[in-house]
Amino acid sequence: MLIQQEAAPAKAQQGQQDLAERWSKQAIKALFALPFNDLIYRAQGVHRQCFDANEIQLSTLVNIKAGGCPEDCAYCPQSARYDTPVEAEETMRLDEVLAAARAAKASGATRFCMGAAWRSPREKDFKKVLAMVSEVKSLRLETCATLGMLSPQQAARLKAAGLDYYNHNLDTSKEYYPQIISTRSYQDRLDTLAHVRNAGINVCCGGILGLGEGEDDRVGLLHTLANMDEPPESVPINLLVQVEGTPLAGTAAPDPFAMIKTIAVARILMPRSYVRLSAGRSEMTDTMQVLCFLAGANSIFYGEKLLTTENPQNENDRQLFARLGIKAKQ
């Protein structure tokens, strides 16, 4: 069964759009409605056109500034508004960040991501981040940061410092977003993504499953991502890790197949993007992760902690890759 796309192709830019076309929500819903085997077969075929099917890109994420965030994201234990186990901490020193970057590289990571629990960076903190980006880049690692909202000037300065990727997730659909966050708008997030893109930085943008959203919201999220002038180079698909004290603690977990299907649809919609398993891998069985790889996921966050939540041990990942015959991207 073939799914009819809208006829007009998106503007060709940076090699992405030769395979990707504009998608309607109706066409995306039709993909979700495919029999599971047919959806996975189609996603795997698209994946093999653009990537080595047995190669996974490894990224490591380090929390350079934990806790104390003024935002009210209902899933986040770093919000100062909620009583969670996460305490506010000072920004890491440059030598600590570099030690973590060297360890990540030694473990096989090719990209080093620095996250900070800010609404947007203040100048005194921003100067520290610029130094971190420059020094991590000198280690011949790809650099990534997630620092909250950015101005056009801040995005340009990050680019000049050597930043390769900026992560700023949309989290969910525009329609469901107000149920999750009130302290910044969906348009605020889109504006930051535009500033990042205009500065020449690669975009890392995805969402979270398990927020209480429905399939229509997953359709809406992917519709927004796939129909950007240039789809994100990296698309992290997170599975909510529930933390006591956050408003979403106790929310019913989504069907595991919803996660796998979302990855498959993302792969079809954004053929040349890296689709990354991010938060929530500690909640997945090996079998579920393997099905995600089969569906087109070809990147993971690698390391023992993802910001404030646990992540599978490095050795577990290496053993799984060995069992599957998967190699890490060099």
Side-chain angles (χ1 to χ4, degrees), residues 209-210 218 239-240 242 250-256:
L209 272 64
R218 296 167 198 147
L239 183 63
L240 177 67
Q242 299 186 20
T251 302
D255 183 337

Side-chain angles (χ1 to χ4, degrees), residues 1 3 17 63 65 88 105 113 125 168 173 176 179 197 217 234 237 261 269 278 299-300 313 315:
M1 176 181 176
I3 304 301
Q17 300 300 332
N63 205 0
K65 176 21 182 113
K105 184 175 182 179
C113 304
D125 298 313
H168 200 62
S173 69
Y176 193 64
Q179 304 298 315
R197 180 64 79 194
D217 297 304
S234 289
I237 304 296
K261 289 171 68 176
L269 301 181
S278 299
S299 177
I300 63 170
Q313 299 283 330
E315 184 58 32

Side-chain angles (χ1 to χ4, degrees), residues 103-296:
K105 184 175 182 179
S107 293
T110 58
R111 187 177 306 165
F112 187 75
C113 304
M114 294 160 275
W118 296 323
R119 174 177 170 80
S120 58
R122 297 176 298 179
E123 180 61 22
K124 69 172 185 177
D125 298 313
F126 193 64
K127 288 180 178 178
K128 295 177 183 178
V129 174
L130 294 175
M132 293 174 189
V133 170
S134 179
E135 292 297 321
V136 170
K137 183 75 171 179
S138 73
L139 300 177
R140 296 187 178 181
L141 281 165
E142 290 181 328
T143 54
C144 178
T146 178
L147 314 169
M149 294 186 292
L150 295 180
S151 69
Q153 295 77 18
Q154 287 172 324
R157 292 168 69 188
L158 285 168
K159 173 65 174 178
L163 190 69
D164 296 303
Y165 289 82
Y166 194 79
N167 168 253
H168 200 62
N169 288 334
L170 293 176
D171 293 340
T172 188
S173 69
K174 181 179 180 180
E175 292 75 19
Y176 193 64
Y177 182 89
Q179 304 298 315
I180 305 301
I181 302 160
S182 70
T183 48
R184 73 173 84 169
S185 70
Y186 210 71
Q187 188 59 50
D188 288 334
R189 291 182 182 257
L190 293 172
D191 289 346
T192 288
L193 292 171
H195 301 332
V196 168
R197 180 64 79 194
N198 290 338
I201 299 170
N202 294 312
V203 170
C204 176
C205 183
I208 307 171
L209 272 64
L211 303 177
E213 81 288 344
E215 187 172 278
D216 283 349
D217 297 304
R218 296 167 198 147
V219 168
L221 169 67
L222 295 180
H223 178 262
T224 299
L225 295 173
N227 287 307
M228 291 177 173
D229 286 343
E230 298 174 63
E233 282 78 10
S234 289
V235 181
I237 304 296
N238 299 271
L239 183 63
L240 177 67
V241 179
Q242 299 186 20
V243 179
E244 286 298 322
T246 61
L248 289 178
T251 302
D255 183 337
F257 291 112
M259 178 77 172
I260 300 162
K261 289 171 68 176
T262 299
I263 288 168
V265 174
R267 169 53 62 217
I268 293 167
L269 301 181
M270 294 169 278
R272 295 191 181 278
S273 300
Y274 281 89
V275 178
R276 177 177 300 126
L277 296 184
S278 299
R281 282 205 307 125
S282 59
E283 315 295 312
M284 299 181 191
T285 64
D286 285 352
T287 300
M288 184 177 174
Q289 288 194 72
V290 171
L291 284 171
C292 288
F293 297 147
L294 187 65

Side-chain angles (χ1 to χ4, degrees), residues 46-114:
V46 171
H47 185 65
R48 287 173 179 269
Q49 291 181 53
C50 302
F51 292 100
D52 182 336
N54 298 301
E55 183 178 83
I56 300 288
Q57 187 271 329
L58 306 180
S59 296
T60 293
L61 175 60
V62 170
N63 205 0
I64 63 171
K65 176 21 182 113
C69 181
E71 304 276 28
D72 68 353
C73 306
Y75 52 80
C76 186
Q78 299 199 77
S79 173
R81 298 166 183 255
Y82 310 134
D83 183 13
T84 73
V86 179
E87 299 290 337
E89 298 177 359
E90 295 296 321
T91 304
M92 288 176 65
R93 301 192 313 270
L94 177 59
D95 62 316
E96 294 174 323
V97 173
L98 290 177
R102 293 188 184 99
K105 184 175 182 179
S107 293
T110 58
R111 187 177 306 165
F112 187 75
C113 304
M114 294 160 275

